[in-house]
Amino acid sequence: MTLWTRITDALAALTAGESLSDVFAHLRTPPERSAGFAIAVIALGAKMAKADGQVTRDEVSAFREVFTIPPEEEKNAARVFNLARTDVAGFEEYAARVAAMFHNDDKALCNLMEGLFFIAMADGEYHPAENEYLTRVGEIFGMNDMHFRQLRSRFVPDADPDPYQVLGVEHDAPLADIRKVWRIEVRESHPDRMMARGVPQEAIKLAEKRLIAVNRAWEEINETRG
């Protein structure tokens, strides 16, 4: 059974009248957990794409950047997106159900937020409404302000990213400690680790973006300190 087949089954349950909480409860364990992750990114991403008043082709195309969608599954993927993008209403309940589904797993929810930031920047602009939306989702996920800014700095090029903020460390932290944090970030970005958290194999492209950001930050700090 493919990821998109599982997603279609979950949508069918919703259409049949099953509650959102019951559907997400069923998606808490592997392999259904990966379908839950995909539904969460697509649904919350689609609602966010509408938050700035319009859904652009770039934002729709962003889902192809996050997920590998085989031609035979394009209709199923489009159905999920079209159901979710009607308006912004209901995103807070979705976010709350997603947080409960992942049992407040910080790393899994962090990966999910990375997917949302990726989609937000697909059209080359980070709209204030998107920032407000993502800030609220982050709050529901239990992220503190520092963690949110850490993720934001990896994706939003409104200024030269602070490498310390990208890694989530203090400017006066010892270089050895920063190196430990960098190594942890690299390890947690390994596809096997991410899939164990529920990130579907079809969305492992997120690991590439994360690795580029953390490696660049470490290199900049190491060169400056060196």
Side-chain angles (χ1 to χ4, degrees):
M1 184 180 291
T2 69
L3 169 69
W4 299 104
T5 302
R6 293 190 183 96
I7 291 174
T8 301
D9 289 346
L11 287 176
L14 284 173
T15 304
E18 191 171 339
S19 70
L20 185 63
S21 58
D22 288 341
V23 170
F24 274 123
H26 177 63
L27 297 173
R28 286 180 177 177
T29 56
E32 285 75 16
R33 185 179 169 101
S34 62
F37 183 97
I39 290 174
V41 174
I42 294 174
L44 290 174
K47 290 178 182 297
M48 178 184 62
K50 191 69 173 178
D52 60 3
Q54 59 182 346
V55 179
T56 68
R57 288 185 177 181
D58 289 331
E59 288 170 326
V60 175
S61 297
F63 289 98
R64 292 186 176 277
E65 296 296 325
V66 177
F67 294 99
T68 300
I69 305 175
E72 65 272 17
E73 298 290 358
E74 288 181 353
K75 289 185 178 180
N76 287 332
R79 183 183 177 206
V80 179
F81 183 84
N82 289 329
L83 283 174
R85 74 175 179 175
T86 53
D87 55 41
V88 182
F91 83 89
E92 291 181 320
E93 179 186 2
Y94 247 104
R97 296 301 183 190
V98 170
M101 179 181 70
F102 285 99
H103 301 287
N104 295 317
D105 181 340
D106 290 343
K107 296 189 182 302
L109 295 174
C110 173
N111 293 149
L112 200 156
M113 285 292 290
E114 288 172 339
L116 296 180
F117 271 110
F118 194 103
I119 293 165
M121 290 304 303
D123 58 359
E125 180 183 3
Y126 189 61
H127 195 278
E130 292 173 326
N131 184 66
E132 182 179 348
Y133 178 99
L134 287 175
T135 299
R136 179 59 185 141
V137 172
E139 291 173 351
I140 295 172
F141 285 178
M143 290 185 175
N144 59 36
D145 183 62
M146 181 179 179
H147 194 180
F148 180 84
R149 286 187 285 109
Q150 177 186 1
L151 291 179
R152 184 180 184 275
S153 66
R154 294 178 182 176
F155 289 87
V156 183
D158 52 0
D160 291 333
D162 181 343
Y164 294 90
Q165 191 171 83
V166 170
L167 289 176
V169 296
E170 299 294 338
H171 284 73
D172 58 356
L175 186 61
D177 291 348
I178 297 175
R179 186 173 186 273
K180 288 179 182 178
V181 171
W182 165 67
R183 289 175 64 86
I184 290 172
E185 290 287 348
V186 170
R187 185 169 63 249
E188 292 300 328
S189 298
H190 191 280
D192 289 344
R193 291 259 185 168
M194 294 181 71
M195 284 190 285
R197 295 196 291 270
V199 179
Q201 185 176 3
E202 291 82 353
I204 292 302
K205 292 179 182 179
L206 290 175
E208 299 174 7
K209 184 75 173 180
R210 169 194 275 248
L211 277 173
I212 290 172
V214 299
N215 283 335
R216 182 180 295 147
W218 164 247
E219 289 170 4
E220 184 176 344
I221 294 173
N222 193 39
E223 289 176 3
T224 302
R225 292 283 189 92

